[in-house]
Amino acid sequence: MTFNRNALPAVADVLALLSIEPTRSNGSGYAQVKCPIHGESNPSLSIHLERGNWRCFACGEAGGDALELYRRARGLTFAQAARDLGAWEGK
Ligand SMILES: [Zn+2]
């Protein structure tokens, strides 16, 4: 069982799985989205659409990639999240 980072979907595709529609990025590469971890009506979470690093300025959660956001939003282990995203090879 191996994690294959190269098999991870694009950041926008991971957001789509979480039913998040990112606003267009503002030139810095970051988009503002509604935080799927604490739940809110105003977008407080900033995520880089290429690198996937993110931070929520309302609840303070942050992570280095879109997989981590998906994992926290769904309450999964790393392996479960990687498997969901098709980046876990083997059984
Ligand atoms: Zn949050």
Side-chain angles (χ1 to χ4, degrees), residues 21-33 47 49:
E21 227 177 285
T23 55
R24 262 213 342 223
S25 80
N26 58 9
S28 65
Y30 285 91
Q32 299 296 126
V33 303
I47 183 165
L49 292 175

Side-chain angles (χ1 to χ4, degrees), residues 50-66:
E50 281 168 26
R51 297 195 298 266
N53 55 301
W54 53 276
R55 175 176 299 277
C56 174
F57 293 95
C59 70
E61 295 284 341
D65 59 23

Side-chain angles (χ1 to χ4, degrees), residues 5 8 10-12 14-15 18 20 22 28-40 44-76 78 81 85:
R5 178 166 292 279
L8 279 178
V11 174
V14 176
L15 292 177
L18 293 170
I20 295 172
S28 65
Y30 285 91
Q32 299 296 126
V33 303
K34 291 176 187 173
C35 175
I37 298 169
H38 81 273
E40 59 177 3
S44 304
L45 189 144
S46 182
I47 183 165
H48 195 282
L49 292 175
E50 281 168 26
R51 297 195 298 266
N53 55 301
W54 53 276
R55 175 176 299 277
C56 174
F57 293 95
C59 70
E61 295 284 341
D65 59 23
L67 182 149
E68 180 67 6
L69 179 63
Y70 182 86
R71 189 184 76 72
R72 301 257 200 107
R74 291 278 165 90
L76 303 172
F78 180 86
L85 298 177

